[in-house]
Amino acid sequence: MRLLRVSLAPRPTRKVIILGGGPNRIGQGIEFDYCCVHAAFALREMGIQSIMVNSNPETVSTDYDTSDTLYFEPVTLEDVLNIVDRERPEGVIVQFGGQTPLNLAMGLAKAGVPILGTPAEAVDAAEDRDKFRRLLDELGLRQTPSGSAMTLEDARATARSVGYPCLVRPSYVLGGRAMEIVYDDEQLKRFAQAAFDVSPGFPVLIDKFLEDAIEVDVDVVGDGGTFVVGGILEHIEEAGVHSGDSAMVLPPHTLSDELLEEIRAASLTLGRALRVVGLMNIQFAIKDDAVYVLEVNPRASRTVPFVSKAIGVPLAKLATRAMLGVSLQDQRFTAEVTPPYLAVKESVFPFSRFAGVDILLGPEMKSTGEVMGLDEDFGLAFVKSQVAAGQRLPRQGQVFISVKNRDKRAVVLLARELAELGFDLVATQGTAKALQRHGVPTRPVNKIHEGRPNVLDLLTDGQIHLVINTPSGRLPRADEIQIRSAATLLGIPCITTVAGAQASVNGIAAMLKRRLGVKSLQRHHEALHAA
């Protein structure tokens, strides 16, 4: 396609184009639409005409009264260039609609279209894996071994160089599509080919996967000279679950002050290096008290609405004003806000509508929404998030436990705590023996293929009130899938990670000690400003 070079003549009315995320699908979260809407509101408050380009009738950004002008058109380079040629705006905002508009940044810049916010070259430096790797080396920031490949043979050589397990993903995709953790050459061949098929002509990215690491998301807002951390979110699930699916807590509740300071320093260093104007998201992993930079997205992230509500600061509005030349100093936002309460983000999933589908989470995003739980106590905040997501943790009853061998030691402490809280425990033979050896009273139950009565019978008879079931391997057994699917369809809480189980047990313990209280977001913000 021949690129249209746009000639921009000054117009008396100031206009700015906002590029939306396009049609909603899993991976292209509604959180990006929130950012686009707040950008339109900020422009209106500044007396600037907002022009929205989006093609989804189910979002607020395409409501008739959100923007001054709406182009219900595909978010593609050709369509956007045609709209720019017609409207002659002073600039285009690409960082609020997710990956779809961000992928247009270089094409628009080459066509002479002013990109508002972070320069297109800086966007390219963060998106191009080789340039990004060199940038981290220059800044002295720790990163996992990584590489890229254009063929299966290259992928095999890169994976062996990086070392298994490794994360394989295609370039320029939404929601971690076709992203997989692979453990050997056979899996690599299958999943690398799938990645090539998703993004033909682009390299497959291969990174060393850090097992049992804690993942952290950081949102930063900048004006090109001043950079402020908007929020630091600690993932509850271990690394390997897509950030759009993982439960998170703000502020972090298990990380040391030293680790948090290192994360802050690295975030601000990256902001300065990329000359961020607007928003930026960084994903870190912590393994053996070492902080690794996993990824930098020079755009708004899915966590921006959550962080904004948690700290009482509209980050997307601040970022929009910064793009139009209003400094953070003038906006009176120059320091990180740390709330005196805990905010837990939980994801909402559609699994109950799909019988037989496994509910396991991984690098590819599956959630369709998110909720928030707020409280001064982490356990109660977590319980509130589960209630909001439609998962009610029990106060009493029987818990079924079946975990892979690597998790058996960790689950002993959880099982003992559940028993002390008054729950009865049942488990498959291997897990039951491990718990009994450590003095935890547990009743063995048959697996599905071992005869009846088995765990599926207990589930359907209403005898199980909570399921803790971690997968036995990369390709889960049919028994496990049946158990997890049946629990979900029956409305029984089902937890598939040890970290998630620990948070749930903390929540149950807190719930048994104290009643759940209700306090509005506005009252929490009052406490925040009082602090």
Side-chain angles (χ1 to χ4, degrees), residues 1 82 376 412 414 443 453 513:
M1 180 185 75
N82 286 332
E376 287 76 19
V412 168
L414 295 176
R443 179 166 64 90
K513 290 176 186 174

Side-chain angles (χ1 to χ4, degrees), residues 68 137 155 159 161 187 208 225 332 365 385 412 466 510 520:
D68 296 297
D137 285 338
S161 171
Q187 288 183 348
K208 174 67 178 175
R332 299 182 180 179
M365 185 174 163
S385 74
V412 168
L466 176 66
S520 70

Side-chain angles (χ1 to χ4, degrees), residues 62-105:
T62 55
D63 283 357
Y64 73 95
D65 58 349
T66 295
S67 57
D68 296 297
T69 305
L70 170 65
Y71 281 89
F72 201 83
E73 299 291 339
V75 186
T76 65
L77 183 59
E78 183 177 10
D79 288 287
V80 172
L81 287 174
N82 286 332
I83 294 167
V84 169
D85 191 42
R86 178 188 177 95
E87 293 289 348
R88 308 292 176 90
E90 63 181 80
V92 176
I93 295 176
V94 301
Q95 62 175 257
F96 286 155
Q99 195 65 37
T100 298
L102 194 72
N103 289 347
L104 306 183

Side-chain angles (χ1 to χ4, degrees), residues 319-370:
T320 302
R321 296 185 195 113
M323 292 181 212
L324 273 299
V326 184
S327 70
L328 292 179
Q329 183 81 37
D330 289 341
Q331 297 186 64
R332 299 182 180 179
F333 185 70
T334 56
E336 179 184 352
V337 176
T338 303
Y341 47 81
L342 290 145
V344 174
K345 177 188 89 78
E346 182 56 282
S347 299
V348 178
F349 299 94
F351 298 130
S352 62
R353 302 185 181 205
F354 302 99
V357 171
D358 198 0
I359 67 170
L360 278 185
L361 302 180
E364 187 165 354
M365 185 174 163
K366 298 177 181 179
S367 63
T368 52
E370 63 182 41

Side-chain angles (χ1 to χ4, degrees), residues 28-86:
Q28 186 71 356
I30 198 69
E31 300 90 339
F32 297 127
D33 202 66
Y34 165 100
C35 294
C36 292
V37 170
H38 273 234
F41 291 165
L43 292 173
R44 180 178 296 168
E45 292 165 4
M46 298 175 72
I48 299 172
Q49 184 176 337
S50 61
I51 301 167
M52 189 74 64
V53 180
N54 206 359
S55 55
N56 185 353
E58 298 298 323
T59 54
V60 180
S61 69
T62 55
D63 283 357
Y64 73 95
D65 58 349
T66 295
S67 57
D68 296 297
T69 305
L70 170 65
Y71 281 89
F72 201 83
E73 299 291 339
V75 186
T76 65
L77 183 59
E78 183 177 10
D79 288 287
V80 172
L81 287 174
N82 286 332
I83 294 167
V84 169
D85 191 42
R86 178 188 177 95

Side-chain angles (χ1 to χ4, degrees), residues 263-512:
I263 288 169
R264 286 188 183 95
S267 301
L268 298 178
T269 296
L270 284 163
R272 284 189 289 270
L274 293 171
R275 295 167 290 153
V276 168
V277 180
L279 287 164
M280 174 181 73
N281 173 263
I282 311 130
Q283 293 173 13
F284 295 93
I286 301 170
K287 171 86 170 174
D288 300 326
D289 285 336
V291 176
Y292 295 83
V293 179
L294 296 182
E295 188 176 357
V296 172
N297 293 305
R299 57 168 170 81
S301 74
R302 291 180 181 83
T303 52
V304 166
F306 176 84
V307 172
S308 298
K309 291 177 187 294
I311 67 172
V313 178
L315 295 178
K317 279 189 173 183
L318 266 63
T320 302
R321 296 185 195 113
M323 292 181 212
L324 273 299
V326 184
S327 70
L328 292 179
Q329 183 81 37
D330 289 341
Q331 297 186 64
R332 299 182 180 179
F333 185 70
T334 56
E336 179 184 352
V337 176
T338 303
Y341 47 81
L342 290 145
V344 174
K345 177 188 89 78
E346 182 56 282
S347 299
V348 178
F349 299 94
F351 298 130
S352 62
R353 302 185 181 205
F354 302 99
V357 171
D358 198 0
I359 67 170
L360 278 185
L361 302 180
E364 187 165 354
M365 185 174 163
K366 298 177 181 179
S367 63
T368 52
E370 63 182 41
V371 293
M372 173 188 281
L374 295 170
D375 203 281
E376 287 76 19
D377 178 271
F378 169 73
L380 293 178
F382 185 80
V383 168
K384 289 177 180 179
S385 74
Q386 300 308 295
V387 171
Q391 180 158 278
R392 292 184 175 271
L393 295 173
R395 295 172 182 267
Q396 59 185 4
Q398 196 158 229
V399 180
F400 168 73
I401 303 176
S402 178
V403 297
K404 60 189 173 189
N405 289 330
R406 201 176 70 185
D407 292 337
K408 283 185 170 62
R409 180 174 295 179
V411 87
V412 168
L413 295 175
L414 295 176
R416 180 174 289 122
E417 189 171 353
L418 284 167
E420 290 171 355
L421 291 171
F423 287 87
D424 296 322
L425 306 180
V426 295
T428 49
Q429 294 290 342
T431 303
K433 286 179 181 177
L435 296 179
Q436 289 166 350
R437 276 198 302 270
H438 288 85
V440 181
T442 309
R443 179 166 64 90
V445 63
N446 287 332
K447 295 180 180 178
I448 295 171
H449 69 274
E450 291 174 342
R452 307 183 73 168
N454 56 43
V455 59
L456 203 56
D457 296 321
L458 297 184
L459 286 167
T460 54
D461 289 345
Q463 296 183 46
I464 301 294
H465 304 92
L466 176 66
V467 172
I468 299 174
N469 178 221
T470 64
S472 57
R474 171 64 191 82
L475 297 174
R477 299 189 184 104
D479 267 22
E480 298 173 4
I481 297 173
Q482 277 187 274
I483 291 167
R484 292 190 287 263
S485 179
T488 302
L489 291 175
L490 292 166
I492 301 166
C494 184
I495 302 163
T496 60
T497 66
V498 170
Q502 180 64 69
S504 299
V505 172
N506 288 347
I508 292 169
M511 189 168 50
L512 291 173

